[in-house]
Amino acid sequence: MPSPYVDLDRPPLAAGGLRATLVSPGRLVTDLRVVAETGSTNADVRALAVAGAPEGTLVATDYQSAGRGRLLREWTSPPRSGLMFSLLLRPVEVPAQHWPWLPLLTGCAVVEALESAAGVRPRLKWPNDVLLDDRKVCGILLERVETPTGPAAVVGVGLNVSTTAAELPGSHATSLRLAGAATTDRGTLLVAVVRTLEALYAAWRAGGDVAADRPDDLHGGLRAAYRARCATVGRDVRVQLAPDRWLEGRAVDVDEGGRLVVRTTDGDHALGAGDVVHVR
């Protein structure tokens, strides 16, 4: 349970200021809710989506007691030490086969936002873990949900901001504070991530070419932008495909469907899912 006392080094999110900054006509965020504590922001937004909430509904929290990441892994951190939020998207005009790009797009947005707002140089581990110095600083979870008005996507972000080494789950994780970031203000980071995501999402939704070979231009080529930020491509990897099934080889590309292409002794394998381990 979070402490009733406010840690001055970890202030609560300022709902009023964030709402004034992010919610305005013509922008992506249409409703912003900040809660002191919740079980899971993804679960909250999923329920709102089913109830008919509009695209752009965003829920952020100071403390998440039952958060989870990919493969149902738990995601917890001390109160106000991380940035945890979920956003409802309804890209109904985008063909279903392109939806797997949404978590990769979100990863690109987080990387660009942290570079500009926090002065760090993150990389992506396929599909959407954000790394600093090869340690996880941010997890992204996308869930598709069927609603009365059509399919929707709930995008969840969990970023370690001021977490100390003793508070992290192990040496595989890090935080912005430990990486010497220029800011650990969660409001500033939320605005940066949402604004960047808004721009990338608008371009993708408008039909941007994910195959365009323009690594310097996020809007001109999402696939190229992702590959340029991906620490997995070019590395030897072990990919867990099932509890007792692994694939080992060299990650050589991310294809037009967002799948990781792993080259083994018997050829190339395009993987749409899997838990990747970078082999050192």
Side-chain angles (χ1 to χ4, degrees):
M1 292 289 293
S3 167
Y5 302 102
V6 174
D7 183 345
L8 296 180
D9 189 44
R10 292 173 171 173
L13 288 169
L18 289 170
R19 194 172 293 112
T21 300
L22 290 173
V23 182
S24 59
R27 308 307 298 249
L28 176 59
V29 178
T30 55
D31 181 22
L32 189 149
R33 309 180 186 194
V34 175
V35 296
E37 177 182 351
T38 190
S40 163
T41 58
N42 258 39
D44 293 346
V45 173
R46 188 167 61 245
L48 290 168
V50 172
E55 178 172 69
T57 299
L58 188 153
V59 175
T61 188
D62 286 326
Y63 179 69
Q64 187 169 249
S65 60
R68 63 183 177 87
R70 292 179 60 249
L71 305 178
L72 300 180
R73 294 187 178 117
E74 291 186 358
W75 179 277
T76 60
S77 62
R80 300 177 299 280
S81 67
L83 175 61
M84 291 157 289
F85 72 92
S86 297
L87 176 66
L88 175 60
L89 302 177
R90 294 184 180 272
V92 293
E93 73 282 4
V94 177
Q97 65 266 29
H98 294 323
W99 280 43
W101 274 101
L102 269 174
L104 282 70
L105 180 155
T106 304
C108 284
V110 171
V111 166
E112 183 181 354
L114 294 183
E115 286 176 343
S116 62
V120 292
R121 298 298 299 273
R123 302 277 286 166
L124 290 164
K125 185 179 82 168
W126 185 89
N128 50 28
D129 281 350
V130 182
L131 308 179
L132 280 173
D133 299 323
D134 223 24
R135 296 175 178 176
K136 184 173 178 177
V137 71
C138 178
I140 295 165
L141 178 66
L142 183 135
E143 298 179 90
R144 181 184 170 106
V145 55
E146 298 299 328
T147 79
T149 56
V154 177
V155 179
V157 174
L159 173 66
N160 293 329
V161 179
S162 64
T163 329
T164 66
E167 293 168 335
L168 290 168
S171 60
H172 65 281
T174 190
S175 69
L176 292 180
R177 170 167 290 175
L178 292 174
T183 183
T184 56
D185 182 85
R186 293 182 303 134
T188 298
L189 295 167
L190 177 60
V191 170
V193 173
V194 170
R195 284 283 187 251
T196 308
L197 178 59
E198 178 180 45
L200 301 189
Y201 176 66
W204 173 78
R205 192 172 183 176
D209 180 10
V210 299
D213 191 18
R214 298 171 61 187
D216 60 331
D217 182 0
L218 277 167
H219 299 180
L222 175 57
R223 180 187 175 201
Y226 181 87
R227 286 186 299 182
R229 288 159 173 77
C230 184
T232 303
V233 174
R235 303 227 355 211
D236 292 330
V237 296
R238 296 180 71 236
V239 186
Q240 186 174 14
L241 305 177
D244 57 352
R245 184 183 171 209
W246 292 79
L247 182 73
E248 298 187 17
R250 171 65 63 92
V252 296
D253 200 4
V254 174
D255 71 10
E256 293 184 16
R259 299 174 299 179
L260 182 69
V261 180
V262 177
R263 182 163 295 162
T264 70
T265 55
D266 62 349
D268 289 355
H269 302 259
L271 308 178
D275 196 25
V276 173
V277 175
H278 290 168
V279 178
R280 298 182 182 275

